[in-house]
Short mmCIF file of all heavy atoms in Angstrom, two decimals:
data_model
loop_
_atom_site.label_atom_id
_atom_site.label_comp_id
_atom_site.label_asym_id
_atom_site.label_seq_id
_atom_site.Cartn_x
_atom_site.Cartn_y
_atom_site.Cartn_z
N GLY A 171 -11.40 62.04 -23.10
CA GLY A 171 -10.89 61.70 -21.82
C GLY A 171 -9.81 60.62 -21.96
O GLY A 171 -8.85 60.74 -22.71
N ASP A 172 -10.00 59.59 -21.12
CA ASP A 172 -8.97 58.52 -21.08
C ASP A 172 -9.35 57.27 -21.91
O ASP A 172 -9.05 56.14 -21.58
CB ASP A 172 -8.69 58.10 -19.65
CG ASP A 172 -9.95 57.88 -18.92
OD1 ASP A 172 -11.02 57.91 -19.52
OD2 ASP A 172 -9.91 57.67 -17.66
N TRP A 173 -10.13 57.53 -23.02
CA TRP A 173 -10.57 56.47 -23.87
C TRP A 173 -9.53 56.08 -24.89
O TRP A 173 -9.10 56.88 -25.68
CB TRP A 173 -11.87 56.86 -24.56
CG TRP A 173 -12.66 55.70 -25.10
CD1 TRP A 173 -12.65 55.29 -26.40
CD2 TRP A 173 -13.54 54.84 -24.39
NE1 TRP A 173 -13.51 54.23 -26.51
CE2 TRP A 173 -14.09 53.90 -25.33
CE3 TRP A 173 -13.96 54.80 -23.03
CZ2 TRP A 173 -14.96 52.95 -24.95
CZ3 TRP A 173 -14.86 53.77 -22.67
CH2 TRP A 173 -15.34 52.89 -23.61
N TRP A 174 -9.04 54.79 -24.81
CA TRP A 174 -8.04 54.37 -25.82
C TRP A 174 -8.19 52.86 -25.97
O TRP A 174 -8.78 52.23 -25.15
CB TRP A 174 -6.68 54.73 -25.39
CG TRP A 174 -6.18 54.09 -24.13
CD1 TRP A 174 -6.49 54.40 -22.85
CD2 TRP A 174 -5.36 52.90 -24.01
NE1 TRP A 174 -5.89 53.56 -21.99
CE2 TRP A 174 -5.17 52.63 -22.65
CE3 TRP A 174 -4.71 52.06 -24.98
CZ2 TRP A 174 -4.42 51.49 -22.25
CZ3 TRP A 174 -3.99 51.05 -24.54
CH2 TRP A 174 -3.82 50.79 -23.15
N ASP A 175 -7.60 52.31 -27.05
CA ASP A 175 -7.73 50.90 -27.27
C ASP A 175 -6.57 50.50 -28.17
O ASP A 175 -5.72 51.33 -28.50
CB ASP A 175 -9.10 50.63 -27.97
CG ASP A 175 -9.63 49.26 -27.53
OD1 ASP A 175 -8.85 48.31 -27.57
OD2 ASP A 175 -10.83 49.21 -27.20
N SER A 176 -6.54 49.24 -28.52
CA SER A 176 -5.49 48.75 -29.48
C SER A 176 -5.98 47.50 -30.18
O SER A 176 -6.89 46.81 -29.72
CB SER A 176 -4.20 48.42 -28.67
OG SER A 176 -4.36 47.27 -27.93
N ILE A 177 -5.38 47.24 -31.33
CA ILE A 177 -5.68 46.04 -32.06
C ILE A 177 -4.30 45.38 -32.43
O ILE A 177 -3.33 46.03 -32.46
CB ILE A 177 -6.49 46.29 -33.39
CG1 ILE A 177 -5.85 47.47 -34.16
CG2 ILE A 177 -8.00 46.52 -33.06
CD1 ILE A 177 -6.58 47.69 -35.47
N ASP A 178 -4.31 44.04 -32.67
CA ASP A 178 -3.16 43.41 -33.06
C ASP A 178 -2.87 43.68 -34.58
O ASP A 178 -3.70 44.34 -35.27
CB ASP A 178 -3.20 41.89 -32.84
CG ASP A 178 -4.33 41.23 -33.60
OD1 ASP A 178 -4.89 41.84 -34.53
OD2 ASP A 178 -4.69 40.09 -33.18
N MET A 179 -1.68 43.29 -35.07
CA MET A 179 -1.37 43.66 -36.48
C MET A 179 -2.28 42.86 -37.45
O MET A 179 -2.49 43.43 -38.57
CB MET A 179 0.13 43.32 -36.77
CG MET A 179 1.08 44.16 -35.97
SD MET A 179 0.74 45.96 -35.90
CE MET A 179 1.11 46.46 -37.53
N ALA A 180 -2.81 41.72 -37.07
CA ALA A 180 -3.78 41.04 -37.97
C ALA A 180 -4.94 41.89 -38.32
O ALA A 180 -5.40 41.95 -39.45
CB ALA A 180 -4.18 39.68 -37.34
N ASP A 181 -5.50 42.58 -37.31
CA ASP A 181 -6.60 43.49 -37.52
C ASP A 181 -6.10 44.83 -38.13
O ASP A 181 -6.82 45.42 -38.93
CB ASP A 181 -7.33 43.77 -36.22
CG ASP A 181 -8.54 42.87 -36.05
OD1 ASP A 181 -9.11 42.46 -37.06
OD2 ASP A 181 -8.95 42.55 -34.90
N ALA A 182 -4.91 45.27 -37.74
CA ALA A 182 -4.43 46.56 -38.27
C ALA A 182 -4.18 46.53 -39.79
O ALA A 182 -4.52 47.44 -40.53
CB ALA A 182 -3.06 46.93 -37.53
N TRP A 183 -3.66 45.37 -40.31
CA TRP A 183 -3.42 45.22 -41.75
C TRP A 183 -4.68 44.77 -42.46
O TRP A 183 -4.70 44.77 -43.68
CB TRP A 183 -2.29 44.20 -41.98
CG TRP A 183 -0.94 44.68 -41.57
CD1 TRP A 183 -0.16 44.07 -40.68
CD2 TRP A 183 -0.22 45.72 -42.13
NE1 TRP A 183 1.10 44.76 -40.54
CE2 TRP A 183 1.05 45.79 -41.48
CE3 TRP A 183 -0.46 46.76 -43.08
CZ2 TRP A 183 2.04 46.78 -41.70
CZ3 TRP A 183 0.54 47.70 -43.36
CH2 TRP A 183 1.76 47.66 -42.66
N HIS A 184 -5.75 44.39 -41.81
CA HIS A 184 -6.96 43.79 -42.41
C HIS A 184 -7.60 44.82 -43.31
O HIS A 184 -7.69 46.05 -42.99
CB HIS A 184 -7.92 43.36 -41.32
CG HIS A 184 -9.06 42.54 -41.87
ND1 HIS A 184 -10.33 43.10 -42.06
CD2 HIS A 184 -9.14 41.30 -42.26
CE1 HIS A 184 -11.12 42.17 -42.56
NE2 HIS A 184 -10.38 41.05 -42.70
N ALA A 185 -8.06 44.33 -44.47
CA ALA A 185 -8.59 45.19 -45.55
C ALA A 185 -9.80 46.06 -45.05
O ALA A 185 -10.09 47.08 -45.65
CB ALA A 185 -8.93 44.33 -46.76
N GLN A 186 -10.50 45.51 -44.07
CA GLN A 186 -11.80 46.28 -43.69
C GLN A 186 -11.55 47.22 -42.51
O GLN A 186 -12.50 47.85 -42.05
CB GLN A 186 -12.87 45.28 -43.30
CG GLN A 186 -13.46 44.53 -44.49
CD GLN A 186 -14.43 43.42 -44.03
OE1 GLN A 186 -14.02 42.61 -43.23
NE2 GLN A 186 -15.59 43.39 -44.55
N THR A 187 -10.33 47.29 -41.99
CA THR A 187 -10.04 48.25 -40.93
C THR A 187 -9.81 49.61 -41.45
O THR A 187 -8.77 49.81 -42.12
CB THR A 187 -8.86 47.70 -40.09
OG1 THR A 187 -9.16 46.37 -39.66
CG2 THR A 187 -8.65 48.59 -38.84
N LEU A 188 -10.73 50.49 -41.25
CA LEU A 188 -10.75 51.76 -41.94
C LEU A 188 -10.62 52.92 -40.90
O LEU A 188 -11.23 52.85 -39.78
CB LEU A 188 -11.97 52.05 -42.75
CG LEU A 188 -12.36 51.11 -43.88
CD1 LEU A 188 -13.52 51.63 -44.63
CD2 LEU A 188 -11.16 50.83 -44.83
N LEU A 189 -9.91 54.00 -41.29
CA LEU A 189 -9.98 55.30 -40.53
C LEU A 189 -11.05 56.05 -41.27
O LEU A 189 -10.92 56.53 -42.34
CB LEU A 189 -8.62 56.01 -40.67
CG LEU A 189 -7.47 55.30 -39.90
CD1 LEU A 189 -6.12 55.87 -40.42
CD2 LEU A 189 -7.58 55.52 -38.44
N THR A 190 -12.29 56.15 -40.67
CA THR A 190 -13.40 56.67 -41.33
C THR A 190 -13.70 58.12 -41.02
O THR A 190 -13.59 58.57 -39.86
CB THR A 190 -14.65 55.85 -41.01
OG1 THR A 190 -15.01 56.02 -39.64
CG2 THR A 190 -14.49 54.37 -41.35
N TYR A 191 -14.06 58.90 -42.05
CA TYR A 191 -14.44 60.30 -41.89
C TYR A 191 -15.85 60.56 -42.53
O TYR A 191 -16.34 61.65 -42.42
CB TYR A 191 -13.43 61.27 -42.48
CG TYR A 191 -12.89 60.78 -43.87
CD1 TYR A 191 -13.70 60.91 -45.04
CD2 TYR A 191 -11.63 60.16 -44.01
CE1 TYR A 191 -13.27 60.44 -46.25
CE2 TYR A 191 -11.18 59.79 -45.29
CZ TYR A 191 -11.98 59.88 -46.35
OH TYR A 191 -11.59 59.44 -47.62
N GLY A 192 -16.37 59.52 -43.12
CA GLY A 192 -17.72 59.68 -43.70
C GLY A 192 -18.69 58.53 -43.30
O GLY A 192 -18.18 57.42 -42.96
N MET A 193 -19.93 58.90 -43.24
CA MET A 193 -20.95 57.82 -42.87
C MET A 193 -22.24 58.02 -43.66
O MET A 193 -22.72 59.19 -43.62
CB MET A 193 -21.15 57.89 -41.34
CG MET A 193 -22.09 56.83 -40.83
SD MET A 193 -22.13 56.93 -39.05
CE MET A 193 -23.60 56.01 -38.76
N ASN A 194 -22.74 57.00 -44.22
CA ASN A 194 -24.01 57.10 -45.01
C ASN A 194 -24.00 58.23 -46.01
O ASN A 194 -24.97 59.01 -46.11
CB ASN A 194 -25.21 57.17 -44.05
CG ASN A 194 -25.39 55.89 -43.26
OD1 ASN A 194 -24.90 54.81 -43.68
ND2 ASN A 194 -26.08 55.95 -42.15
N GLY A 195 -22.89 58.43 -46.63
CA GLY A 195 -22.82 59.40 -47.74
C GLY A 195 -22.55 60.84 -47.36
O GLY A 195 -22.50 61.70 -48.12
N ALA A 196 -22.42 61.12 -46.01
CA ALA A 196 -22.17 62.41 -45.61
C ALA A 196 -20.93 62.40 -44.68
O ALA A 196 -20.34 61.36 -44.43
CB ALA A 196 -23.37 62.96 -44.76
N ASP A 197 -20.55 63.63 -44.22
CA ASP A 197 -19.37 63.67 -43.26
C ASP A 197 -19.83 62.97 -41.98
O ASP A 197 -21.01 62.99 -41.57
CB ASP A 197 -19.04 65.14 -42.96
CG ASP A 197 -18.37 65.85 -44.06
OD1 ASP A 197 -17.92 65.11 -45.02
OD2 ASP A 197 -18.26 67.09 -44.04
N LEU A 198 -18.88 62.31 -41.37
CA LEU A 198 -19.11 61.66 -40.07
C LEU A 198 -19.60 62.73 -39.09
O LEU A 198 -18.99 63.79 -39.04
CB LEU A 198 -17.81 61.05 -39.58
CG LEU A 198 -17.86 60.03 -38.43
CD1 LEU A 198 -18.66 58.79 -38.82
CD2 LEU A 198 -16.45 59.60 -37.98
N SER A 199 -20.73 62.48 -38.42
CA SER A 199 -21.25 63.46 -37.49
C SER A 199 -20.54 63.39 -36.14
O SER A 199 -19.85 62.40 -35.90
CB SER A 199 -22.74 63.24 -37.28
OG SER A 199 -22.89 62.00 -36.56
N ILE A 200 -20.55 64.46 -35.38
CA ILE A 200 -19.86 64.47 -34.09
C ILE A 200 -20.34 63.28 -33.21
O ILE A 200 -19.53 62.55 -32.63
CB ILE A 200 -19.92 65.85 -33.39
CG1 ILE A 200 -19.04 66.82 -34.21
CG2 ILE A 200 -19.58 65.73 -31.96
CD1 ILE A 200 -19.03 68.16 -33.67
N PRO A 201 -21.67 63.05 -33.02
CA PRO A 201 -22.07 61.95 -32.23
C PRO A 201 -21.53 60.60 -32.68
O PRO A 201 -21.36 59.68 -31.86
CB PRO A 201 -23.60 61.99 -32.32
CG PRO A 201 -23.97 63.38 -32.63
CD PRO A 201 -22.86 63.83 -33.56
#
Side-chain angles (χ1 to χ4, degrees):
Chain A
D172 46 8
W173 198 260
W174 66 279
D175 215 311
S176 71
I177 47 177
D178 60 15
M179 295 315 288
D181 265 333
W183 290 118
H184 189 258
Q186 287 172 310
T187 303
L188 301 187
L189 292 163
T190 64
Y191 44 73
M193 184 175 162
N194 292 340
D197 286 347
L198 194 64
S199 67
I200 287 179

